[in-house]
Amino acid sequence: MSDLAVCVQDDDKNVSPKETIDAIYKAGFKNVFVQYYRRDNLEFDELKQIDYCRQIGLNIIFCHLGYKNINEIWIAGEKGEKVTNEYIEDLEFMKEKQIDMVIMHLSSHMNPPKYNEIGLERIKKIVRYAKELGIKIAFENTKMWGYLEYVFENIKSKNLAAYYRNWGQYPHPMIISSNDWVYKGKHILHHAKGIKRKQVMAIVLEN
């Protein structure tokens, strides 16, 4: 049986995150996921979004963590360490808010640094800490080939899975995971009352 979870989009200049959450609720959805991107320009920030979703009875299935600086994780130096520590802090916040799953990227843009042992060791650190906290991590299949494969070949953890986003002509033919659970999802657009079609992103939850 399938269910729907709707993304709380928070980057629209004309619709506030609170209005988005209200529209999702009024449209009859029960499940949401929040973009935890550490934005500092939101009056109704991610913390308020999470609390408000819970207040009105919406179920938060996961948070999508930010990826603005994810490419730094593959580069030696202080910036890469800083990004790694920020993800550790994100996991601590998820534990505090009783959110037991996060989505992460492994790269961004079309010319990221080549995957390597430096980044792998940082990702291992993040995965280990997530397991200690009881939080699952699903890595999204971004458009760049090789990163998911590299991570799954080198990290064997039942706490880790692939999150499949349907990119249409994207080269991955299927979800890859060497583990016991796979978080299967497909981004779809759904027209919810009070929000323009392009403002709502949802995933199908497959049991």
Side-chain angles (χ1 to χ4, degrees):
M1 182 179 179
S2 295
D3 201 355
L4 285 175
V6 183
C7 177
V8 179
Q9 296 277 23
D10 59 10
D11 58 355
D12 192 286
K13 295 180 180 180
N14 300 314
V15 181
S16 72
K18 186 176 185 297
E19 290 172 323
T20 298
I21 295 169
D22 286 335
I24 291 169
Y25 178 78
K26 290 176 182 177
F29 293 103
K30 304 298 182 185
N31 302 310
V32 296
F33 61 100
V34 174
Q35 298 172 317
Y36 188 74
Y37 291 174
R38 290 173 168 253
R39 292 194 178 104
D40 57 8
N41 61 342
L42 293 175
E43 181 178 348
F44 202 77
D45 62 21
E46 291 101 335
L47 174 58
K48 292 178 181 177
Q49 293 171 35
I50 291 169
D51 289 344
Y52 186 60
C53 285
R54 294 258 174 82
Q55 178 184 330
I56 64 176
L58 290 171
N59 176 43
I60 301 173
I61 59 168
F62 64 75
C63 281
H64 192 306
L65 302 187
Y67 53 90
K68 180 180 179 181
N69 298 313
I70 185 60
N71 286 345
E72 294 290 345
I73 211 164
W74 303 106
I75 302 174
E78 293 183 3
K79 290 183 178 179
E81 293 301 314
K82 181 176 184 291
V83 169
T84 304
N85 291 333
E86 285 175 349
Y87 281 120
I88 294 294
E89 293 171 2
D90 290 347
L91 291 172
E92 292 173 346
F93 176 79
M94 296 300 136
K95 180 66 174 179
E96 177 185 337
K97 288 298 177 180
Q98 299 180 322
I99 295 170
D100 61 5
M101 181 161 57
V102 296
I103 306 296
M104 289 182 61
H105 286 201
L106 289 170
S107 65
S108 65
H109 304 297
M110 299 306 293
N111 190 31
K114 184 73 172 179
Y115 44 84
N116 55 60
E117 291 187 7
I118 294 172
L120 182 65
E121 290 304 311
R122 290 167 174 163
I123 292 167
K124 284 180 178 179
K125 178 180 178 181
I126 294 168
V127 172
R128 284 195 300 268
Y129 193 60
K131 185 176 181 180
E132 291 176 12
L133 298 179
I135 298 172
K136 294 179 180 179
I137 297 179
F139 288 114
E140 184 175 327
N141 62 324
T142 51
K143 293 182 179 180
M144 298 306 297
W145 178 268
Y147 293 82
L148 275 178
E149 291 84 351
Y150 179 73
V151 167
F152 277 90
E153 286 172 2
N154 290 282
I155 302 178
K156 308 300 181 183
S157 172
K158 293 182 179 180
N159 209 55
L160 187 64
Y163 166 68
Y164 173 69
R165 178 171 180 172
N166 183 9
W167 287 103
Q169 298 301 316
Y170 180 72
H172 283 284
M174 60 184 291
I175 297 171
I176 59 168
S177 174
S178 59
N179 308 312
D180 293 342
W181 72 283
V182 176
Y183 191 78
K184 296 195 291 186
K186 181 171 62 178
H187 285 270
I188 63 172
L189 295 175
H190 187 93
H191 185 66
K193 184 178 180 181
I195 310 180
K196 295 178 182 178
R197 184 176 178 83
K198 68 178 181 178
Q199 296 169 343
V200 181
M201 186 186 300
I203 61 165
V204 178
L205 306 180
E206 299 180 9
N207 296 326

